[in-house]
Amino acid sequence: STYVLDLNDKPSEKCGVLNVTKVTVNGKKVRKNWTSSWTVLQGSSLLFAKGQGSGTSWKFGGNQSKPEFTVDLRGGSVDWASKDKSSKKHVIELKTRQGTELLIQSEIDSVINDWYRVLTDTISTHAWE
Ligand code: I3S
């Protein structure tokens, strides 16, 4: 059969390992705690699970597979973090409508650039929900 690859298609699912810390929860500043997280985008939800390295066998829904936390991207914003937010490079600042702010980071440019694009697209796709 024939496969057609639509290059304009926006992915609604993506996963990978990112370094993540919360900086604000429900509008309250919290102490940073960077952890490596298995990160899954499903529609307009972004799920984080505590990293088991880059374990590809890690699955949500299974026994030890509870997401650590989930954020709703609808009505949120994404931007590159300014230098005062972190000394790390390639840091994205993600703000939710619920008043949670996260920093997400990867040492690998291409990885963080892909996430930046996908998160930006997701937020604009779901802007009016
Ligand atoms: O923005 P901060 O407070 O300089 O963030 C750093 C601290 O959270 C530090 O932990 P403690 O000060 O709680 O021990 C972390 O180890 C650093 O990674 C944080 O800064 P970066 O610049 O890496 O985001």
Side-chain angles (χ1 to χ4, degrees):
S1 60
T2 307
Y3 290 91
V4 177
L5 177 63
D6 182 353
L7 296 173
N8 294 314
D9 209 10
K10 308 256 167 66
S12 61
E13 304 218 345
K14 179 177 172 60
C15 55
V17 176
L18 292 170
N19 299 317
V20 182
T21 183
K22 292 178 187 172
V23 286
T24 307
V25 176
N26 298 322
K28 275 200 154 180
K29 213 160 180 275
V30 296
R31 190 172 181 174
K32 271 191 198 167
N33 178 28
W34 285 103
T35 52
S36 171
S37 287
W38 180 243
T39 307
V40 180
L41 174 71
Q42 280 180 335
S44 58
S45 296
L46 192 63
L47 299 80
F48 299 93
K50 263 210 181 112
Q52 299 224 319
S54 55
T56 46
S57 62
W58 189 248
K59 269 191 185 166
F60 290 117
N63 224 1
Q64 10 147 246
S65 62
K66 295 244 167 65
E68 191 79 0
F69 64 100
T70 301
V71 295
D72 182 357
L73 296 173
R74 292 173 300 174
S77 68
V78 69
D79 204 350
W80 294 107
S82 57
K83 286 233 172 75
D84 57 311
K85 295 288 167 81
S86 176
S87 61
K88 300 185 194 303
K89 54 181 179 173
H90 315 310
V91 180
I92 292 172
E93 184 179 45
L94 176 62
K95 297 182 182 181
T96 71
R97 191 163 52 185
Q98 292 74 29
T100 293
E101 294 179 23
L102 306 172
L103 300 178
I104 66 181
Q105 190 264 355
S106 170
E107 292 298 322
I108 306 161
D109 300 43
S110 57
V111 168
I112 201 71
N113 287 333
D114 279 356
W115 277 101
Y116 184 85
R117 186 155 25 88
V118 168
L119 292 171
T120 305
D121 286 350
T122 301
I123 286 172
S124 58
T125 301
H126 295 273
W128 305 108
E129 290 176 6

